Amino acid sequence: MEYTQQSNYQQNKPSNGKKYGPIILIGALVLLLIIFWSRITVTIPAGHGGVLYRLFGGGIDTSKTFEEGFHFIAPWNSMTLYETRQQVADEEMSALSSNGLEIKIEFSTWYQPKWQELGYLHATIGTQYLTRAVYPAMRSAARSVLGRYTPEQIYSTKRDAIQEEIFIETKNLLEGKHIQLNQVLIRSVTLPPTIKSAIESKLKQEQEALEYEFKLEKASQEAERQRVEAEGKARANNIVSASINDKILREKGIDATLKLAESPNTKIVIVGNSKDGMPLILGDIK
């Protein structure tokens, strides 16, 4: 009887393993999730793009650039982030002009990686593309362009053209490198002191010569204006003199006499006393 009751108790006794098994499994999964959370999630910040490396799927994924935001990835894969906004690279270097003089130049380059080609950039050049591609292209283009010009042209007259040529040559050198070049800006050009003084003196003399030529031209224009004005007045006087005769003068005198006669003031008018037969007006009588 005792054996039967003990057997029934053992059969009806709850199993602790079955009771806590799901809880242990869930806890283990949560623990693994916490441990590997940083491996399976990626947050791409604003102004960046992501390139995925698949450990068991062919390496770098060159077909897709991952956009900003939150992403899940397999824990054995990795994501490399690139800033895709416009960036600036400043450079200061020395180069030789066309006549062999050393010139120091400071310039800035605006650049950014091409969004659609970010995977190819990561596969061929990598995250150090600034030092591996952009800087070498900038320096090579600058030395090539500066070597075509004299110090005077670099310092004054051809600065904008030089800036544009450096931009074009740098862009050509970066062709196929998956990098977008936006602009090249020359910040300053430094010449040897003696050369700089000579150029500034020459430019000053040229400005003074241009100013003197301007004054001469202005004086010449003023003289021409006065001559034309004088000729116009002379022609007008000749026309008036040619049109005046005794009849016209007599008619004008008669008109003036009539107006004076209509005036309320008292006057002495002597008729037929003047040589031309016009009335002679002596003045008012008060």
PDB file of all heavy atoms in Angstrom, residues 8-32:
ATOM      1  N   ASN A   8       2.505   6.659  -7.019  1.00  0.00           N
ATOM      2  CA  ASN A   8       1.574   7.671  -7.544  1.00  0.00           C
ATOM      3  C   ASN A   8       2.094   9.081  -7.296  1.00  0.00           C
ATOM      4  O   ASN A   8       1.934   9.986  -8.126  1.00  0.00           O
ATOM      5  CB  ASN A   8       0.201   7.502  -6.891  1.00  0.00           C
ATOM      6  CG  ASN A   8      -0.474   6.210  -7.328  1.00  0.00           C
ATOM      7  OD1 ASN A   8      -0.175   5.712  -8.416  1.00  0.00           O
ATOM      8  ND2 ASN A   8      -1.363   5.673  -6.497  1.00  0.00           N
ATOM      9  N   TYR A   9       2.738   9.317  -6.190  1.00  0.00           N
ATOM     10  CA  TYR A   9       3.283  10.646  -5.873  1.00  0.00           C
ATOM     11  C   TYR A   9       4.393  11.022  -6.833  1.00  0.00           C
ATOM     12  O   TYR A   9       4.470  12.144  -7.320  1.00  0.00           O
ATOM     13  CB  TYR A   9       3.798  10.652  -4.429  1.00  0.00           C
ATOM     14  CG  TYR A   9       4.500  11.930  -4.063  1.00  0.00           C
ATOM     15  CD1 TYR A   9       3.763  13.087  -3.782  1.00  0.00           C
ATOM     16  CD2 TYR A   9       5.890  11.987  -4.007  1.00  0.00           C
ATOM     17  CE1 TYR A   9       4.403  14.247  -3.458  1.00  0.00           C
ATOM     18  CE2 TYR A   9       6.536  13.153  -3.690  1.00  0.00           C
ATOM     19  CZ  TYR A   9       5.784  14.284  -3.400  1.00  0.00           C
ATOM     20  OH  TYR A   9       6.440  15.444  -3.095  1.00  0.00           O
ATOM     21  N   GLN A  10       5.241  10.052  -7.148  1.00  0.00           N
ATOM     22  CA  GLN A  10       6.344  10.323  -8.081  1.00  0.00           C
ATOM     23  C   GLN A  10       5.823  10.621  -9.476  1.00  0.00           C
ATOM     24  O   GLN A  10       6.368  11.448 -10.210  1.00  0.00           O
ATOM     25  CB  GLN A  10       7.299   9.133  -8.108  1.00  0.00           C
ATOM     26  CG  GLN A  10       8.104   8.988  -6.812  1.00  0.00           C
ATOM     27  CD  GLN A  10       9.017   7.758  -6.843  1.00  0.00           C
ATOM     28  OE1 GLN A  10       8.900   6.938  -7.756  1.00  0.00           O
ATOM     29  NE2 GLN A  10       9.881   7.646  -5.838  1.00  0.00           N
ATOM     30  N   GLN A  11       4.714   9.904  -9.856  1.00  0.00           N
ATOM     31  CA  GLN A  11       4.152  10.145 -11.182  1.00  0.00           C
ATOM     32  C   GLN A  11       3.514  11.524 -11.280  1.00  0.00           C
ATOM     33  O   GLN A  11       3.559  12.194 -12.306  1.00  0.00           O
ATOM     34  CB  GLN A  11       3.122   9.066 -11.497  1.00  0.00           C
ATOM     35  CG  GLN A  11       3.745   7.689 -11.745  1.00  0.00           C
ATOM     36  CD  GLN A  11       2.691   6.641 -12.022  1.00  0.00           C
ATOM     37  OE1 GLN A  11       1.484   6.936 -12.015  1.00  0.00           O
ATOM     38  NE2 GLN A  11       3.135   5.402 -12.253  1.00  0.00           N
ATOM     39  N   ASN A  12       2.887  11.983 -10.196  1.00  0.00           N
ATOM     40  CA  ASN A  12       2.190  13.281 -10.205  1.00  0.00           C
ATOM     41  C   ASN A  12       3.082  14.451  -9.818  1.00  0.00           C
ATOM     42  O   ASN A  12       2.663  15.611  -9.885  1.00  0.00           O
ATOM     43  CB  ASN A  12       0.999  13.229  -9.253  1.00  0.00           C
ATOM     44  CG  ASN A  12      -0.037  12.212  -9.708  1.00  0.00           C
ATOM     45  OD1 ASN A  12      -0.210  12.015 -10.900  1.00  0.00           O
ATOM     46  ND2 ASN A  12      -0.710  11.562  -8.750  1.00  0.00           N
ATOM     47  N   LYS A  13       4.315  14.203  -9.407  1.00  0.00           N
ATOM     48  CA  LYS A  13       5.236  15.268  -8.997  1.00  0.00           C
ATOM     49  C   LYS A  13       5.615  16.137 -10.195  1.00  0.00           C
ATOM     50  O   LYS A  13       6.016  15.634 -11.241  1.00  0.00           O
ATOM     51  CB  LYS A  13       6.485  14.642  -8.370  1.00  0.00           C
ATOM     52  CG  LYS A  13       7.447  15.673  -7.848  1.00  0.00           C
ATOM     53  CD  LYS A  13       8.667  14.967  -7.243  1.00  0.00           C
ATOM     54  CE  LYS A  13       9.649  15.981  -6.717  1.00  0.00           C
ATOM     55  NZ  LYS A  13      10.842  15.314  -6.128  1.00  0.00           N
ATOM     56  N   PRO A  14       5.493  17.495 -10.116  1.00  0.00           N
ATOM     57  CA  PRO A  14       5.817  18.388 -11.263  1.00  0.00           C
ATOM     58  C   PRO A  14       7.300  18.366 -11.589  1.00  0.00           C
ATOM     59  O   PRO A  14       8.146  18.257 -10.705  1.00  0.00           O
ATOM     60  CB  PRO A  14       5.374  19.763 -10.778  1.00  0.00           C
ATOM     61  CG  PRO A  14       5.403  19.684  -9.290  1.00  0.00           C
ATOM     62  CD  PRO A  14       5.054  18.268  -8.934  1.00  0.00           C
ATOM     63  N   SER A  15       7.621  18.495 -12.871  1.00  0.00           N
ATOM     64  CA  SER A  15       9.015  18.483 -13.342  1.00  0.00           C
ATOM     65  C   SER A  15       9.555  19.920 -13.375  1.00  0.00           C
ATOM     66  O   SER A  15       9.038  20.783 -14.111  1.00  0.00           O
ATOM     67  CB  SER A  15       9.088  17.858 -14.730  1.00  0.00           C
ATOM     68  OG  SER A  15      10.393  17.954 -15.238  1.00  0.00           O
ATOM     69  N   ASN A  16      10.579  20.240 -12.594  1.00  0.00           N
ATOM     70  CA  ASN A  16      11.186  21.579 -12.569  1.00  0.00           C
ATOM     71  C   ASN A  16      11.870  21.910 -13.902  1.00  0.00           C
ATOM     72  O   ASN A  16      11.897  23.056 -14.342  1.00  0.00           O
ATOM     73  CB  ASN A  16      12.187  21.670 -11.429  1.00  0.00           C
ATOM     74  CG  ASN A  16      11.483  21.655 -10.074  1.00  0.00           C
ATOM     75  OD1 ASN A  16      10.327  22.058  -9.989  1.00  0.00           O
ATOM     76  ND2 ASN A  16      12.178  21.183  -9.043  1.00  0.00           N
ATOM     77  N   GLY A  17      12.419  20.888 -14.557  1.00  0.00           N
ATOM     78  CA  GLY A  17      13.105  21.139 -15.835  1.00  0.00           C
ATOM     79  C   GLY A  17      12.162  21.623 -16.899  1.00  0.00           C
ATOM     80  O   GLY A  17      12.449  22.551 -17.641  1.00  0.00           O
ATOM     81  N   LYS A  18      11.005  20.977 -16.981  1.00  0.00           N
ATOM     82  CA  LYS A  18      10.028  21.405 -17.981  1.00  0.00           C
ATOM     83  C   LYS A  18       9.456  22.769 -17.642  1.00  0.00           C
ATOM     84  O   LYS A  18       9.092  23.546 -18.510  1.00  0.00           O
ATOM     85  CB  LYS A  18       8.907  20.371 -18.065  1.00  0.00           C
ATOM     86  CG  LYS A  18       9.377  19.049 -18.654  1.00  0.00           C
ATOM     87  CD  LYS A  18       8.219  18.084 -18.739  1.00  0.00           C
ATOM     88  CE  LYS A  18       8.667  16.751 -19.356  1.00  0.00           C
ATOM     89  NZ  LYS A  18       7.553  15.793 -19.439  1.00  0.00           N
ATOM     90  N   LYS A  19       9.344  23.096 -16.373  1.00  0.00           N
ATOM     91  CA  LYS A  19       8.746  24.357 -15.963  1.00  0.00           C
ATOM     92  C   LYS A  19       9.634  25.542 -16.286  1.00  0.00           C
ATOM     93  O   LYS A  19       9.160  26.578 -16.763  1.00  0.00           O
ATOM     94  CB  LYS A  19       8.455  24.307 -14.464  1.00  0.00           C
ATOM     95  CG  LYS A  19       7.814  25.565 -13.919  1.00  0.00           C
ATOM     96  CD  LYS A  19       7.528  25.414 -12.446  1.00  0.00           C
ATOM     97  CE  LYS A  19       6.883  26.687 -11.895  1.00  0.00           C
ATOM     98  NZ  LYS A  19       6.598  26.557 -10.452  1.00  0.00           N
ATOM     99  N   TYR A  20      10.924  25.399 -16.026  1.00  0.00           N
ATOM    100  CA  TYR A  20      11.843  26.520 -16.217  1.00  0.00           C
ATOM    101  C   TYR A  20      12.588  26.495 -17.557  1.00  0.00           C
ATOM    102  O   TYR A  20      13.381  27.390 -17.847  1.00  0.00           O
ATOM    103  CB  TYR A  20      12.862  26.547 -15.068  1.00  0.00           C
ATOM    104  CG  TYR A  20      12.235  26.829 -13.722  1.00  0.00           C
ATOM    105  CD1 TYR A  20      12.063  25.803 -12.794  1.00  0.00           C
ATOM    106  CD2 TYR A  20      11.796  28.100 -13.413  1.00  0.00           C
ATOM    107  CE1 TYR A  20      11.477  26.052 -11.567  1.00  0.00           C
ATOM    108  CE2 TYR A  20      11.203  28.351 -12.178  1.00  0.00           C
ATOM    109  CZ  TYR A  20      11.047  27.317 -11.264  1.00  0.00           C
ATOM    110  OH  TYR A  20      10.469  27.566 -10.055  1.00  0.00           O
ATOM    111  N   GLY A  21      12.350  25.494 -18.344  1.00  0.00           N
ATOM    112  CA  GLY A  21      13.050  25.385 -19.628  1.00  0.00           C
ATOM    113  C   GLY A  21      12.815  26.563 -20.560  1.00  0.00           C
ATOM    114  O   GLY A  21      13.763  27.188 -21.057  1.00  0.00           O
ATOM    115  N   PRO A  22      11.552  26.956 -20.846  1.00  0.00           N
ATOM    116  CA  PRO A  22      11.300  28.110 -21.740  1.00  0.00           C
ATOM    117  C   PRO A  22      11.868  29.426 -21.208  1.00  0.00           C
ATOM    118  O   PRO A  22      12.365  30.255 -21.978  1.00  0.00           O
ATOM    119  CB  PRO A  22       9.771  28.168 -21.805  1.00  0.00           C
ATOM    120  CG  PRO A  22       9.327  26.786 -21.472  1.00  0.00           C
ATOM    121  CD  PRO A  22      10.309  26.267 -20.465  1.00  0.00           C
ATOM    122  N   ILE A  23      11.831  29.582 -19.883  1.00  0.00           N
ATOM    123  CA  ILE A  23      12.360  30.817 -19.297  1.00  0.00           C
ATOM    124  C   ILE A  23      13.870  30.898 -19.508  1.00  0.00           C
ATOM    125  O   ILE A  23      14.415  31.949 -19.857  1.00  0.00           O
ATOM    126  CB  ILE A  23      12.017  30.875 -17.801  1.00  0.00           C
ATOM    127  CG1 ILE A  23      10.491  30.914 -17.615  1.00  0.00           C
ATOM    128  CG2 ILE A  23      12.666  32.090 -17.154  1.00  0.00           C
ATOM    129  CD1 ILE A  23      10.054  30.869 -16.176  1.00  0.00           C
ATOM    130  N   ILE A  24      14.530  29.768 -19.314  1.00  0.00           N
ATOM    131  CA  ILE A  24      15.983  29.733 -19.509  1.00  0.00           C
ATOM    132  C   ILE A  24      16.326  30.015 -20.975  1.00  0.00           C
ATOM    133  O   ILE A  24      17.269  30.749 -21.293  1.00  0.00           O
ATOM    134  CB  ILE A  24      16.541  28.375 -19.072  1.00  0.00           C
ATOM    135  CG1 ILE A  24      16.364  28.209 -17.551  1.00  0.00           C
ATOM    136  CG2 ILE A  24      18.018  28.252 -19.448  1.00  0.00           C
ATOM    137  CD1 ILE A  24      16.737  26.829 -17.049  1.00  0.00           C
ATOM    138  N   LEU A  25      15.540  29.443 -21.886  1.00  0.00           N
ATOM    139  CA  LEU A  25      15.795  29.637 -23.319  1.00  0.00           C
ATOM    140  C   LEU A  25      15.614  31.110 -23.708  1.00  0.00           C
ATOM    141  O   LEU A  25      16.449  31.681 -24.425  1.00  0.00           O
ATOM    142  CB  LEU A  25      14.843  28.763 -24.129  1.00  0.00           C
ATOM    143  CG  LEU A  25      14.975  28.849 -25.655  1.00  0.00           C
ATOM    144  CD1 LEU A  25      16.382  28.450 -26.081  1.00  0.00           C
ATOM    145  CD2 LEU A  25      13.928  27.982 -26.339  1.00  0.00           C
ATOM    146  N   ILE A  26      14.530  31.690 -23.205  1.00  0.00           N
ATOM    147  CA  ILE A  26      14.283  33.110 -23.515  1.00  0.00           C
ATOM    148  C   ILE A  26      15.386  33.987 -22.926  1.00  0.00           C
ATOM    149  O   ILE A  26      15.865  34.933 -23.556  1.00  0.00           O
ATOM    150  CB  ILE A  26      12.892  33.540 -22.983  1.00  0.00           C
ATOM    151  CG1 ILE A  26      11.790  32.809 -23.745  1.00  0.00           C
ATOM    152  CG2 ILE A  26      12.722  35.053 -23.101  1.00  0.00           C
ATOM    153  CD1 ILE A  26      10.398  33.033 -23.185  1.00  0.00           C
ATOM    154  N   GLY A  27      15.795  33.690 -21.716  1.00  0.00           N
ATOM    155  CA  GLY A  27      16.875  34.458 -21.099  1.00  0.00           C
ATOM    156  C   GLY A  27      18.165  34.366 -21.876  1.00  0.00           C
ATOM    157  O   GLY A  27      18.902  35.350 -22.028  1.00  0.00           O
ATOM    158  N   ALA A  28      18.446  33.145 -22.369  1.00  0.00           N
ATOM    159  CA  ALA A  28      19.669  32.952 -23.157  1.00  0.00           C
ATOM    160  C   ALA A  28      19.609  33.755 -24.453  1.00  0.00           C
ATOM    161  O   ALA A  28      20.590  34.375 -24.877  1.00  0.00           O
ATOM    162  CB  ALA A  28      19.870  31.459 -23.448  1.00  0.00           C
ATOM    163  N   LEU A  29      18.408  33.741 -25.071  1.00  0.00           N
ATOM    164  CA  LEU A  29      18.266  34.508 -26.322  1.00  0.00           C
ATOM    165  C   LEU A  29      18.423  36.008 -26.077  1.00  0.00           C
ATOM    166  O   LEU A  29      19.051  36.719 -26.869  1.00  0.00           O
ATOM    167  CB  LEU A  29      16.901  34.217 -26.943  1.00  0.00           C
ATOM    168  CG  LEU A  29      16.703  32.803 -27.501  1.00  0.00           C
ATOM    169  CD1 LEU A  29      15.265  32.612 -27.976  1.00  0.00           C
ATOM    170  CD2 LEU A  29      17.679  32.552 -28.649  1.00  0.00           C
ATOM    171  N   VAL A  30      17.843  36.483 -24.969  1.00  0.00           N
ATOM    172  CA  VAL A  30      17.969  37.910 -24.642  1.00  0.00           C
ATOM    173  C   VAL A  30      19.423  38.260 -24.370  1.00  0.00           C
ATOM    174  O   VAL A  30      19.926  39.312 -24.802  1.00  0.00           O
ATOM    175  CB  VAL A  30      17.086  38.253 -23.435  1.00  0.00           C
ATOM    176  CG1 VAL A  30      17.375  39.671 -22.935  1.00  0.00           C
ATOM    177  CG2 VAL A  30      15.615  38.107 -23.785  1.00  0.00           C
ATOM    178  N   LEU A  31      20.122  37.384 -23.654  1.00  0.00           N
ATOM    179  CA  LEU A  31      21.531  37.629 -23.362  1.00  0.00           C
ATOM    180  C   LEU A  31      22.368  37.676 -24.632  1.00  0.00           C
ATOM    181  O   LEU A  31      23.219  38.560 -24.804  1.00  0.00           O
ATOM    182  CB  LEU A  31      22.046  36.544 -22.415  1.00  0.00           C
ATOM    183  CG  LEU A  31      23.519  36.682 -21.982  1.00  0.00           C
ATOM    184  CD1 LEU A  31      23.714  37.985 -21.212  1.00  0.00           C
ATOM    185  CD2 LEU A  31      23.947  35.482 -21.131  1.00  0.00           C
ATOM    186  N   LEU A  32      22.101  36.724 -25.533  1.00  0.00           N
ATOM    187  CA  LEU A  32      22.822  36.726 -26.812  1.00  0.00           C
ATOM    188  C   LEU A  32      22.502  37.981 -27.615  1.00  0.00           C
ATOM    189  O   LEU A  32      23.376  38.541 -28.286  1.00  0.00           O
ATOM    190  CB  LEU A  32      22.453  35.464 -27.609  1.00  0.00           C
ATOM    191  CG  LEU A  32      22.993  34.133 -27.079  1.00  0.00           C
ATOM    192  CD1 LEU A  32      22.424  32.967 -27.890  1.00  0.00           C
ATOM    193  CD2 LEU A  32      24.525  34.126 -27.140  1.00  0.00           C
TER     194      LEU A  32
END
